[in-house]
Amino acid sequence: MNLSIFFEPLPEDPFGYPENPKSVGSYLAPFVHSFPDWRSAEVVLIGLPEYRGSTNTTDVTYQGPNRIRQELYRLMKGTGAWLLMDLGNLLPGIHLEDTYLRLKEVIETLVDAGKFPILLGGSHDLTYGQFLGYEHLGKTVNLVMVDSQLDMVDDERATPEQSHLHRILLHEPTYLFGFSNLGHQTYLTESSTLAALEKLHFELFRVGQVRQQMQEMEPVIRQADLMSFDVSAIRHQDAPGQQYANPFGLTGEEACQLCWYAGQNNQLSSLGFYGYRPEFDHRSLTATTLATMVWYSIEGYYQRLPSLDFQSNQFLKFSVGFHDNPNKMAFYKNRHTEKWWMEIEDLSGQRPPFVVPCSYQDYLTAADGEVPHRWILMQARF
């Protein structure tokens, strides 16, 4: 597919030539004059200057992606080859639905080619277009969101940004296997919404749980095929460039830690950053925070390990017995990274056992004779 027809070039003046030859801007090919050959890239940046799904868009400057780029290009390159390209900004469709479909086609093409697109949004409802890009795969996928509230308003008066999660969950054909939300704040979310998602056996972590159990978030993110990060999950002190100021939320450092986990996830094939409103970001603090989060995502990507072979010497296997079965549950530990996986046996017998990410705490729980909650969730989703 000729992706160039979907994009507009970047303005040259705001970026110019990188002052430092070791900066990120010196190691990427941006779409300024000619569309880059994205097939030779590994990580691809895409700007999404689309805000029609949001509220109060009168003062929107549509320069959000470019402001993030300005700060990202100035950062120093990390380790690894960094085969990075910036395809410019996606041209919005005539209608908002057209933008979703354009984003769908772009994600389809890039994911099929084995590229890792990083999306710089735009309102959070663009996650729906990102999600549509996985419909053609013919398999179920796992979605992880980081958001201060769950966008499941079931009201025809609601904006797409307020209801896009509801639309994702009801999408036909159904190909969403797992959903997890990190960082929601209970006083911003209806209790009925939380109850409905818990009945679907999805994982929901309050901002306090994320902060207190940061290492436990790593296996949650390690299951994701796509991830969506709303800037509203970050407290106002670190990210004032959002529509509704919130004094509580993740710190910038915690947000970067989650992005580091995301980048390292071999299974993750797209990552979106949404909700940035530059008209509220007078000193570019939010743009700097988001640029650093993108940097950690890319750096994590270049720390990914080769495909997993649980029968190799790279892994240690631990078997935990329950009652009359000495090998009821199996765990695997990577000798180098010390990350854990858990083998799940389908009790219905309809599929062979499969291995999912877990934590050391899951192993300790099983060793104490209790079934880990993660194992129960996986069984319930079948």
Side-chain angles (χ1 to χ4, degrees), residues 40-335:
S40 59
E42 293 176 336
V43 180
V44 176
L45 295 179
I46 297 173
L48 304 175
E50 172 65 87
Y51 292 89
R52 283 177 289 182
S54 185
T55 56
N56 302 326
T57 58
T58 305
D59 298 325
V60 169
T61 64
Y62 299 97
Q63 293 301 311
N66 289 349
R67 290 277 291 274
I68 299 172
R69 287 182 173 102
Q70 280 182 277
E71 303 306 322
L72 176 63
Y73 284 20
R74 295 185 183 126
L75 302 180
M76 295 298 105
K77 170 188 168 294
T79 58
W82 277 56
L83 297 176
L84 177 65
M85 289 188 181
D86 192 334
L87 302 188
N89 293 326
L90 186 74
L91 290 164
I94 297 176
H95 304 289
L96 181 57
E97 291 294 325
D98 298 324
T99 301
Y100 295 151
L101 294 177
R102 287 186 180 187
L103 181 55
K104 171 188 176 181
E105 291 189 49
V106 171
I107 294 296
E108 277 184 6
T109 303
L110 294 174
V111 169
D112 281 348
K115 311 306 176 186
F116 181 50
I118 296 179
L119 312 174
L120 310 177
S123 51
H124 197 200
D125 57 289
L126 293 169
T127 302
Y128 180 65
Q130 181 185 356
F131 174 73
L132 290 178
Y134 292 78
E135 185 174 356
H136 72 292
L137 294 178
K139 69 181 186 69
T140 56
V141 297
N142 295 304
L143 166 64
V144 169
M145 281 189 184
V146 185
D147 199 347
S148 61
Q149 52 191 320
L150 296 159
D151 302 315
M152 280 191 61
V153 179
D154 185 14
D155 189 327
E156 60 182 17
R157 295 171 297 179
T159 64
E161 190 171 43
Q162 296 171 324
S163 59
H164 66 274
L165 178 56
H166 187 263
R167 192 172 182 184
I168 288 174
L169 296 179
L170 295 181
H171 182 76
E172 293 291 343
T174 300
Y175 56 94
L176 182 68
F177 179 74
F179 168 72
S180 302
N181 191 90
L182 313 183
H184 77 271
Q185 297 167 35
T186 308
Y187 43 82
L188 297 178
T189 307
E190 293 184 8
S191 57
S192 59
T193 298
L194 296 174
L197 291 173
E198 288 173 353
K199 285 182 179 179
L200 293 171
H201 310 292
F202 293 146
E203 294 182 286
L204 309 174
F205 298 92
R206 291 178 289 103
V207 63
Q209 292 175 297
V210 175
R211 177 170 293 119
Q212 296 169 11
Q213 307 174 38
M214 180 61 72
Q215 290 185 342
E216 292 297 309
M217 299 304 107
E218 189 278 331
V220 176
I221 293 176
R222 201 173 356 130
Q223 294 185 61
D225 295 281
L226 67 156
M227 182 169 167
S228 169
F229 204 122
D230 192 329
V231 72
S232 70
I234 306 174
R235 64 181 187 179
H236 180 263
Q237 297 94 311
D238 292 354
Q242 49 183 294
Q243 187 168 347
Y244 302 106
N246 190 346
F248 307 107
L250 300 171
T251 66
E253 182 179 358
E254 290 163 346
C256 287
Q257 183 69 57
L258 296 177
C259 291
W260 170 254
Y261 291 154
Q264 288 185 306
N265 174 13
N266 288 59
Q267 187 170 313
L268 190 75
S269 54
S270 72
L271 173 59
F273 296 93
Y274 303 102
Y276 173 46
R277 297 289 288 267
E279 62 270 24
F280 303 120
D281 194 28
H282 302 300
R283 298 189 66 182
S284 296
L285 176 60
T286 313
T288 301
T289 299
L290 286 168
T292 309
M293 292 163 61
V294 172
W295 187 95
Y296 272 99
S297 303
I298 299 172
E299 180 69 1
Y301 176 88
Y302 283 101
Q303 305 300 320
R304 291 184 176 185
L305 297 175
S307 56
L308 304 175
D309 180 5
F310 294 105
Q311 306 306 317
S312 69
N313 292 331
Q314 183 183 5
F315 289 90
L316 293 171
K317 182 177 180 179
F318 298 83
S319 295
V320 178
F322 283 93
H323 306 297
D324 58 340
N325 190 339
N327 297 305
K328 182 67 175 179
M329 197 172 294
F331 291 84
Y332 299 90
K333 176 186 175 182
N334 188 299
R335 294 175 182 267

Side-chain angles (χ1 to χ4, degrees), residues 8-19 25 30-34 63 66 69-70 73-74 86 88-89:
E8 61 178 347
L10 299 171
E12 186 172 5
D13 292 342
F15 306 110
Y17 292 98
E19 298 179 359
F31 178 25
V32 177
H33 300 295
S34 59
Q63 293 301 311
N66 289 349
R69 287 182 173 102
Q70 280 182 277
Y73 284 20
R74 295 185 183 126
D86 192 334
N89 293 326

